[in-house]
């Protein structure tokens, strides 16, 4: 199939970027988007041009490594789908695709479609865990956790750290990401002990990284490849309120 | 090279307890004087780094990923085994030991396998304490399911994302130590060489993938937890960037490589659908709990699956292995599929697949229950193929998946290089010639959380301090310079073939001639073809861009160069072993029913290869002694 690709090229964080145009008519509808770029890159390399820098690893929607904007859609024009799981059959023959990196101040562009998402790691680092050391822990069944609670904690824990939520947000807020971790741990009895301390430090870390405040637009929920719900932000706010006022 | 397995004396069930009781300790106040380098942040790397930092050691961690959370452990779907016997179905440490040793076709060390089973229950407790949301029954108790090769339900799971959830636990433990300043974490750093001083691992050489800067880092002990190398087959269930560089370069510095050719082919991957494809996606084996595998009885039957009546379907696993049926172990299920496909019964557009059908389960349990169990897998299937598996059977096929082989380690997880430990999928330890499903998340975690903390401390307590000073600094600088020169050489080469193309060519040779089935003439041909490919690579490699700024092509060139060398060793290993065992199936050695025929009289050992220069591997053998369990012919009939 034929596609015209308008791809954001930027040599480094400091460099100016711009869109370049690439046209090929030998793409296959069964290719995934990264496979489309592999294919294009092979020709760029052979003609002595610098291949397009983009990231992907698992290519099955679970590692959170991929992700850029396609025709203005974060990750994908298919709802709840990562870039790597988007296949060319989603596009029309002859279509033009605009590919550009996620635009978030806290995610500087490193090269072309590749961004630096280490801010998300620093948010986790500030308290996104249960403080338990390795060693003989209590018997796993000694604390019963209802099926519903376990499932609900899982729903929050399913986040893959791709940053799509911040990329789509008009405020560039990382509240869905942060709220998901806070909720995952606060829903479980073993995570509740530290809940107040955790929410205060994680919210502070999120602000320090330069992410904006949440105004409940809800676009994040719609693009999240794991379907993480806005309820996680509500829970974060509630945990924050409890922790702040005691 | 000397192979001393260092199995502690005494009763099998007491060996690990005895080791721990006698292991040397280091005073907590002195631990921070010892520096440990960990390469890798998957389950094995993150768990060991966090545990050692908690003990008070100085830990420095390297990963080529941009975040520790993205290591390929994240992709494991199905589950993690533990002998908790929550189901009261007769499970025990002994049974798990038995299943694992038998599943591995009696090609693993008894003491290691027993320890894996022994530590399994504690891992579940540990993970739950960290907040891993395993599936629960309505009463609040943990839920279990069964996996291939066993008749009990000992697999714990978190929907279809068990690896990602376990890794979250380990990653969070790691980040907690980073926050406390006990771990220095270097993301986007790739290990390119191992420093060895006076026969002892003394550090690593790493390249900063963002800046191109290459530098050496010194340590008192080095732990490699760099994962599996199944991606050598190019089309595999592994992530695009999985590679063998860390272990291969360590191999070249003296670490013996055990059983390199033992690669597991997973029976329930999605089939290849076209030539553009960069990977094969796994559909979790847990699907075999409820899915039934079949092909049409009639060759080349072109009807859509739902139009083929029951009596015209061949449920070949249920037919050939009535007691295990669809849950036959992976090697057996994969070969059985290949057998049908090669005989012309394959289905799908390229006739390279078999059906995995949920019709019976859907009728019995309803769509809601099935969706709760496998919803995300069905969704993933639809995203990739465009088909709805609630309405028609999935297309599945075998794919390269897991490397049982890896750097040889003794009971303490130390390689043949003093002070170099190898953990997780990167080592050869517990799985023998075939790994049971849900045992490798376990192994990576047990290695990191429960074993390395004891054995690494024991080593450091007994080892002499490494001499520091200008000599080591000079050695590090020289090694870094050598790496830089190699990269320059590739960049300057005026070639025409990309690393990816070499990788694809290598994968094709290995799939065809050293894959699910192996045969002498084919292996001899593969040996020559790989040699040619290597020669071609040296002359014709085309690496775009420059050193310095981000250059993925340069990264790939190094990884593929290592894969080519490892590929040659894989073929050598497969040729040398004149028997069939587990995943290693030599056509020449099969029973009249077409099952693998072991040759215990001549091959009851682990092959360990020493690097003595290009194309000149030297074989060493670790004899396997079975005291607790007599090797038997595996039967899953
Ligand atoms: C699709 C899939 C599904 C699976 N499902 C299951 C399952 O259900 N149950 C089960 O038990 N097992 C399963 N497995 C197997 C299991 O996931 C792996 O064996 C296990 O997670 C390996 O963990 P690890 O820590 O050894 O390596 P990995 O998680 O692969 O981590 C390797 C780490 O090493 C780093 N690294 C590698 N080389 C270098 C280098 N040169 N320099 C710096 N860093 C480096 C990487 O960045 C990464 O951080 C599955 C595997 C796959 C591929
Ligand atoms: S590459 Fe892993 S989520 Fe897309």
């Amino acid at each position: 199939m034929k596609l015209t690709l308008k791809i954001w090229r930027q040599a480094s964080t400091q460099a100016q970027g711009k869109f370049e145009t690439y046209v090929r008519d030998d793409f296959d509808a069964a290719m995934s988007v990264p496979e489309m770029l592999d294919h294009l890159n092979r020709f760029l390399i052979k003609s002595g041009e610098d291949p397009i820098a983009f990231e992907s690893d698992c290519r099955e929607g679970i590692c959170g490594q991929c992700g850029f904007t396609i025709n203005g859609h974060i990750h994908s024009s298919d709802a709840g789908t990562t870039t790597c799981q988007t296949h060319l059959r989603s596009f029309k023959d002859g279509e033009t695709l605009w590919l550009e990196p996620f635009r978030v101040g806290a995610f500087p562009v490193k090269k072309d479609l590749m961004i630096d998402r280490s801010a998300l790691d620093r948010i986790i680092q500030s308290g996104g865990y249960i403080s338990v050391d390795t060693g003989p822990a209590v018997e796993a069944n000694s604390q019963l956790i209802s099926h519903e609670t376990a499932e609900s904690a899982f729903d929050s824990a399913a986040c893959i750290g791709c940053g799509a939520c911040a990329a789509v947000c008009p405020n560039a807020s990382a509240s869905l990401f942060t709220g998901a971790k806070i909720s995952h741990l606060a829903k479980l009895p073993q995570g509740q002990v530290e809940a107040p301390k955790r929410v205060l430090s994680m919210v502070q870390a999120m602000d320090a990284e330069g992410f904006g405040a949440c105004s409940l637009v809800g676009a994040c929920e719609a693009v999240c490849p794991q379907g993480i719900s806005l309820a996680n932000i509500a829970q974060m706010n509630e945990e924050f309120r409890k922790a702040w006022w005691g | 090279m000397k192979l001393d397995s260092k199995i502690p004396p005494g009763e099998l069930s007491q060996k690990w307890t005895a080791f721990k009781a006698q292991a040397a300790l280091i005073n907590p106040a002195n631990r921070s004087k010892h520096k440990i380098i960990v390469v890798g942040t998957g389950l094995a790397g993150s768990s060991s780094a966090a545990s050692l930092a908690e003990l008070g050691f100085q830990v420095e961690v390297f990963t080529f990923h941009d975040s520790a959370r993205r290591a390929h452990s994240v992709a494991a779907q199905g589950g993690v085994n533990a002998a908790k016997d929550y189901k009261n179905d007769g499970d025990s440490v002994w049974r798990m030991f038995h299943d694992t040793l038998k599943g591995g076709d009696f090609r693993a060390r008894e003491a290691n396998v027993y320890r894996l089973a022994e530590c399994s229950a504690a891992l579940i407790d540990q993970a739950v304490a960290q907040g891993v949301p395993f599936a629960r029954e309505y009463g609040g108790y943990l839920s279990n399911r069964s996996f291939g090769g066993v008749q009990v339900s000992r697999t714990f799971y978190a929907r279809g994302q068990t690896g990602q959830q376990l890794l979250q636990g380990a990653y969070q433990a790691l980040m907690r130590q980073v926050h406390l300043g006990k771990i220095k974490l270097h993301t986007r750093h790739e290990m390119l060489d191992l420093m060895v001083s006076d026969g002892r691992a003394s550090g690593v050489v790493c390249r900063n993938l963002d800046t191109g800067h290459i530098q050496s880092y010194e340590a008192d002990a080095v732990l490699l937890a760099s994962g599996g190398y199944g991606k050598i087959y190019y089309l595999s269930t592994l992530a695009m960037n999985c590679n063998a560089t860390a272990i291969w370069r360590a191999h070249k510095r003296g670490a013996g490589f055990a059983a390199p050719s033992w690669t597991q082919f997973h029976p329930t991957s999605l089939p290849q659908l076209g030539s553009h494809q960069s990977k094969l996606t796994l559909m979790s084996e847990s699907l075999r709990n409820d899915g039934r595998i079949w092909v049409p009885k009639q060759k080349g039957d072109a009807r859509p699956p739902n139009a083929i009546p029951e009596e015209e379907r061949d449920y070949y696993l249920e037919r050939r292995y009535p007691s295990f049926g669809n849950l036959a172990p992976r090697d057996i299920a994969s070969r059985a599929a290949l057998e049908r496909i090669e005989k012309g019964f394959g289905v799908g557009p390229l006739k390279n697949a078999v059906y995995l059908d949920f019709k019976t389960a859907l009728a019995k349990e309803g769509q809601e229950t099935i969706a709760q169990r496998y919803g995300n897998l069905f969704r993933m299937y639809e995203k990739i193929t465009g088909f709805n598996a609630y309405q028609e059977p999935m297309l599945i096929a075998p794919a390269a998946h897991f490397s049982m082989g890896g750097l040889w380690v003794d009971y303490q997880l130390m390689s043949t290089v003093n002070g170099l430990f190898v953990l997780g999928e990167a080592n050869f330890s517990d799985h023998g010639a075939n790994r049971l499903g849900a045992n490798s998340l376990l192994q990576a975690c047990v290695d990191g959380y429960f074993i390395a903390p004891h054995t690494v401390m024991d080593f450091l307590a007994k080892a002499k301090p490494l001499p520091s000073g200008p000599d080591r600094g000079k050695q590090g600088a020289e090694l870094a310079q050598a790496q830089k020169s190699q990269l320059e050489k590739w960049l300057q080469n005026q070639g025409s073939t990309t690393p990816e193309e070499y990788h694809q060519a290598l994968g094709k040779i290995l799939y065809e001639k050293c894959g699910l089935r192996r045969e002498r003439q084919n292996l001899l041909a593969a040996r020559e073809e790989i040699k040619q490919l290597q020669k071609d690579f040296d002359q014709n490699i085309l690496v775009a861009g420059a050193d310095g700024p981000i250059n993925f092509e340069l990264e790939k060139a190094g990884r593929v160069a290592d894969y080519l060398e490892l590929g040659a060793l894989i073929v050598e290993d497969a040729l040398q072993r004149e028997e069939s065992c587990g995943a290693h199936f030599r056509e020449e050695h099969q029973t009249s029913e077409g099952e693998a025929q072991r040759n215990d009289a001549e091959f009851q050992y682990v092959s360990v290869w020493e690097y003595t220069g290009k194309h000149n591997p030297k074989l060493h053998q670790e004899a396997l002694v079975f005291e607790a369990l007599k090797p038997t012919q595996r039967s899953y009939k």
Side-chain angles (χ1 to χ4, degrees):
Chain A
M1 76 192 268
K2 181 178 171 184
L3 290 173
T4 301
L5 302 176
K6 304 262 185 191
I7 303 179
W8 184 261
R9 302 300 312 255
Q10 181 174 340
S12 66
T13 306
Q14 292 74 31
Q16 279 281 353
K18 65 170 193 303
F19 283 101
E20 297 277 359
T21 307
Y22 306 90
V23 187
R24 290 206 73 83
D25 59 7
D26 56 358
F27 293 117
D28 187 323
M31 285 177 174
S32 64
V33 168
E35 284 166 354
M36 168 189 84
L37 291 178
D38 290 344
H39 185 72
L40 172 63
N41 273 345
R42 185 170 296 184
F43 292 99
L44 293 181
I45 293 167
K46 298 220 170 177
S47 54
E49 289 179 56
D50 196 27
I52 293 142
F54 70 98
E55 286 190 294
S56 76
D57 199 26
C58 74
R59 295 198 175 177
E60 54 185 70
I62 191 67
C63 74
Q65 182 84 70
C66 66
F68 42 78
T69 303
I70 306 175
N71 287 349
H73 299 285
I74 300 300
H75 265 313
S76 175
S77 44
D78 303 342
T81 303
T82 55
T83 300
C84 63
Q85 291 288 71
T86 306
H87 290 76
L88 301 193
R89 72 176 88 89
S90 300
F91 307 109
K92 285 193 289 292
D93 196 11
E95 203 174 330
T96 298
L97 306 185
W98 293 79
L99 312 185
E100 60 179 315
F102 288 173
R103 305 285 184 192
V104 179
F107 298 159
V109 174
K110 288 167 98 170
K111 187 177 178 186
D112 301 340
L113 301 173
M114 190 182 166
I115 52 171
D116 176 354
R117 281 166 291 192
S118 53
L120 300 180
D121 282 324
R122 288 188 293 272
I123 295 176
I124 298 296
Q125 196 176 310
S126 72
Y129 37 73
I130 292 172
S131 299
V132 55
D133 282 356
T134 301
V138 289
E139 155 59 42
N141 259 345
S142 62
Q143 193 166 35
L144 299 186
I145 298 173
S146 75
H147 174 79
E148 292 76 11
T149 304
E151 292 297 307
S152 163
F154 180 95
D155 288 339
S156 302
C159 168
I160 58 173
C162 64
C165 46
V168 76
C169 177
N171 310 321
S173 169
S175 287
L176 195 66
F177 171 85
T178 312
K181 186 48 64 193
I182 287 168
S183 306
H184 158 213
L185 297 174
K187 282 171 184 170
L188 294 169
Q190 61 271 42
Q192 279 157 12
V193 180
E194 286 173 285
K197 187 165 163 260
R198 180 182 306 122
V199 68
L200 294 178
S201 48
M202 286 182 76
V203 168
Q204 191 186 21
M206 175 172 75
D207 293 343
E209 292 294 340
F211 290 105
C214 170
S215 55
L216 288 177
V217 175
C220 51
E221 182 184 71
V223 296
C224 175
Q226 293 291 314
I228 309 261
S229 94
L230 272 187
N232 288 281
I233 300 182
Q235 175 153 10
M236 171 173 75
N237 293 341
E238 176 60 14
E239 297 288 336
F240 189 86
R241 194 191 55 76
K242 280 194 299 196
W244 189 256
W245 299 106
Chain B
M1 195 166 87
K2 222 177 102 242
L3 301 177
D4 177 2
S5 58
K6 297 201 207 120
I7 302 171
E11 183 60 26
L12 183 63
S13 63
Q14 294 307 309
K15 286 180 191 292
W16 181 232
T17 311
F19 174 85
K20 283 189 289 183
Q22 283 160 18
L25 298 176
I26 297 173
N27 183 321
N30 287 335
R31 290 182 196 154
S32 65
K33 293 180 190 149
H34 298 269
K35 191 166 137 198
I36 299 165
I37 280 180
V38 178
V39 177
T41 59
L43 280 169
S46 290
S47 61
S48 57
S51 305
L52 287 160
E54 287 160 11
L55 286 170
F57 294 103
Q58 239 189 91
V59 182
E60 202 156 344
V61 179
F62 297 86
T63 167
F64 65 70
H65 282 99
D66 74 329
S67 163
R69 67 182 295 155
R70 306 205 203 281
H72 198 50
S73 292
V74 80
Q77 304 168 347
V80 55
N81 286 335
K84 282 277 198 189
D85 193 28
Y86 284 162
K87 290 279 186 189
N88 194 27
D89 57 1
D91 202 6
S92 63
V93 169
W94 175 267
R95 188 177 294 277
M96 185 166 173
F97 154 72
H98 165 275
D99 291 345
T100 304
L101 197 68
K102 176 183 164 199
D105 221 357
F106 298 91
R107 289 294 175 263
R109 208 182 280 142
E110 270 189 349
N112 283 57
V113 176
Y114 193 91
R115 178 176 62 186
L116 179 74
E118 185 181 347
C119 296
S120 64
L123 187 257
I124 301 302
D125 301 338
Q126 172 77 32
V128 167
Q130 289 172 338
V132 173
F134 286 124
R136 299 264 172 175
E137 305 289 353
Y138 283 96
Y141 291 94
L142 286 152
S143 177
N144 291 115
R145 59 186 173 203
S146 11
F147 249 52
V150 303
Q151 289 173 311
V152 295
S153 287
R154 66 162 73 99
T155 306
F156 293 78
Y157 62 100
R159 239 173 268 169
Q161 302 181 0
T162 315
Q164 124 113 328
Q165 292 309 316
L166 282 171
L167 186 61
Q168 287 286 306
Y171 156 75
Q172 286 164 204
L174 175 86
M175 296 314 274
R176 175 171 158 243
Q177 297 303 315
V178 172
H179 182 61
L180 295 171
K182 305 256 186 77
I183 290 181
K184 193 159 179 215
L185 173 63
H186 305 266
T187 55
R188 297 270 304 153
H189 275 67
E190 179 156 56
M191 170 188 159
L192 295 181
D193 208 351
L194 177 75
M195 285 170 72
V196 180
S197 322
D198 295 332
R200 175 160 159 206
S202 60
V204 294
V205 174
C206 291
R207 178 166 182 270
N208 179 331
L209 302 179
D210 285 337
T211 64
H213 180 66
I214 302 180
Q215 186 192 323
S216 66
Y217 300 82
E218 295 175 13
D220 301 294
V222 176
L223 276 55
L224 298 185
S226 52
Y229 55 83
K231 180 74 190 165
I232 193 169
Y233 284 81
Y234 191 71
L235 285 178
S236 81
T237 62
L238 279 87
M240 297 308 289
N241 299 307
C242 289
N243 67 84
T245 290
I247 55 173
W248 187 254
R249 310 249 168 134
H251 173 58
K252 287 172 116 173
R253 297 272 171 220
F257 208 122
S261 73
W262 291 355
T263 297
Q264 177 169 79
F265 291 79
H266 199 292
T268 58
S269 158
L270 297 186
Q272 183 178 7
L273 297 168
S275 60
H276 56 268
Q277 216 156 320
S278 58
K279 75 160 291 176
L280 297 172
T281 301
L282 181 75
M283 290 285 113
S284 167
E285 166 168 295
S286 60
L287 291 169
R288 289 201 273 150
N289 269 303
D290 288 298
R292 297 176 69 199
I293 296 178
W294 63 277
V295 290
K297 279 188 180 159
Q298 190 192 321
K299 235 182 233 187
D301 194 331
R303 287 175 291 177
N306 289 338
I308 300 179
E310 265 315 295
E311 59 284 1
E312 290 179 48
R313 299 174 172 198
D314 177 14
Y315 294 92
Y316 57 87
L317 283 177
E318 297 172 21
R319 169 169 61 79
R320 286 180 63 182
Y321 307 99
S323 66
F324 281 72
N326 293 297
L327 287 173
R330 291 182 176 174
D331 53 337
I332 289 176
S334 287
R335 273 198 301 274
L338 186 68
E339 190 266 343
R340 289 289 83 188
I341 292 168
E342 283 182 348
K343 289 232 166 86
F345 296 92
V347 295
L350 300 181
K351 302 280 172 227
N352 59 353
V354 299
Y355 290 127
L356 176 63
D357 200 334
F358 294 88
K359 198 175 75 175
T360 315
L362 283 164
K364 193 167 135 221
E365 314 248 6
Q367 178 155 340
E368 200 179 318
T369 309
I370 297 299
Q372 226 177 48
R373 284 186 199 150
Y374 314 109
N376 67 320
L377 296 172
F378 279 56
R379 257 195 311 283
M380 180 148 74
Y381 182 79
E382 186 162 3
K383 271 183 193 166
I384 296 171
T385 63
F387 296 110
N388 180 344
Y390 295 105
Q391 279 156 19
E392 58 184 288
M394 287 183 179
L395 286 174
I396 54 158
H401 176 59
F402 180 86
S403 20
M404 276 78 72
L407 293 185
W408 181 89
V409 288
D410 62 20
Y411 188 74
Q412 302 175 18
L413 303 183
M414 190 156 90
S415 70
T416 54
V417 175
N418 199 23
L420 177 71
F421 294 79
V422 190
L423 280 61
E425 194 173 335
N427 71 18
F428 172 83
S429 58
D430 306 345
H431 310 295
N434 172 54
R435 167 184 74 103
L436 288 187
N439 262 357
S440 53
L441 289 178
L442 175 69
Q443 181 233 334
C445 291
V446 164
D447 283 3
Y449 285 124
F450 302 133
I451 301 175
H454 297 285
T455 61
V456 173
M457 173 133 67
D458 178 71
F459 167 78
L460 289 172
K462 292 172 181 163
K464 284 200 282 269
L466 273 165
S468 61
D471 279 0
R472 265 174 91 193
K474 191 164 155 257
Q475 183 199 7
E478 279 168 13
L479 292 178
Q481 187 50 48
Q483 290 302 328
K484 227 179 154 43
S485 310
Q486 175 62 75
L487 298 181
E488 274 307 320
K489 217 174 112 192
W490 283 329
L491 282 165
Q492 273 154 24
N493 196 53
Q494 304 287 325
S496 59
T497 311
T498 65
E500 193 92 4
E501 287 169 326
Y502 284 109
H503 193 173
Q504 283 166 333
L506 174 67
K508 191 158 180 297
I509 298 172
L510 289 175
Y511 256 109
E512 283 170 5
K513 305 204 167 77
C514 194
L516 267 165
R517 294 156 174 272
R518 291 127 189 231
E519 184 270 327
R520 191 174 165 76
Q521 289 310 321
N522 278 333
L523 289 167
L524 289 171
R527 177 199 264 170
E528 280 318 302
E529 288 170 28
I530 294 176
K531 256 193 201 150
Q532 281 307 321
L533 201 59
Q534 268 176 312
K535 225 187 243 157
D536 200 284
F537 180 97
D538 290 341
Q539 289 164 0
N540 262 323
I541 183 74
L542 164 63
V543 182
D547 192 9
I550 294 160
N551 185 342
F552 290 116
E553 290 302 303
L554 194 53
E555 295 168 26
K556 282 189 215 162
R559 294 171 190 168
V560 173
D562 292 339
Y563 268 156
L564 285 165
E565 294 185 15
L566 172 56
L569 185 65
I570 285 179
V571 170
E572 237 28 74
D573 184 58
L575 253 175
Q576 187 271 336
R577 188 164 283 266
E578 290 285 349
E579 68 160 352
S580 293
C581 57
H584 172 66
F585 189 82
R586 283 286 300 264
E587 309 252 21
E588 300 93 327
H589 306 287
Q590 50 181 308
T591 65
S592 52
E593 288 165 308
E595 304 294 344
Q597 180 123 56
R598 275 198 334 257
N599 178 353
D600 291 341
E602 290 177 83
F603 288 96
Q604 193 167 300
Y605 62 77
V606 178
S607 308
V608 186
W609 300 92
E610 179 182 359
Y611 187 85
T612 63
K614 208 172 178 184
H615 297 308
N616 194 26
K618 184 167 170 223
L619 179 67
H620 299 259
Q621 303 177 358
E622 182 201 342
L624 293 169
V625 183
F626 298 101
E627 288 170 338
L629 214 59
K630 277 261 146 314
T632 48
Q633 168 82 32
R634 272 192 328 159
S635 169
Y636 294 92
K637 298 241 173 236

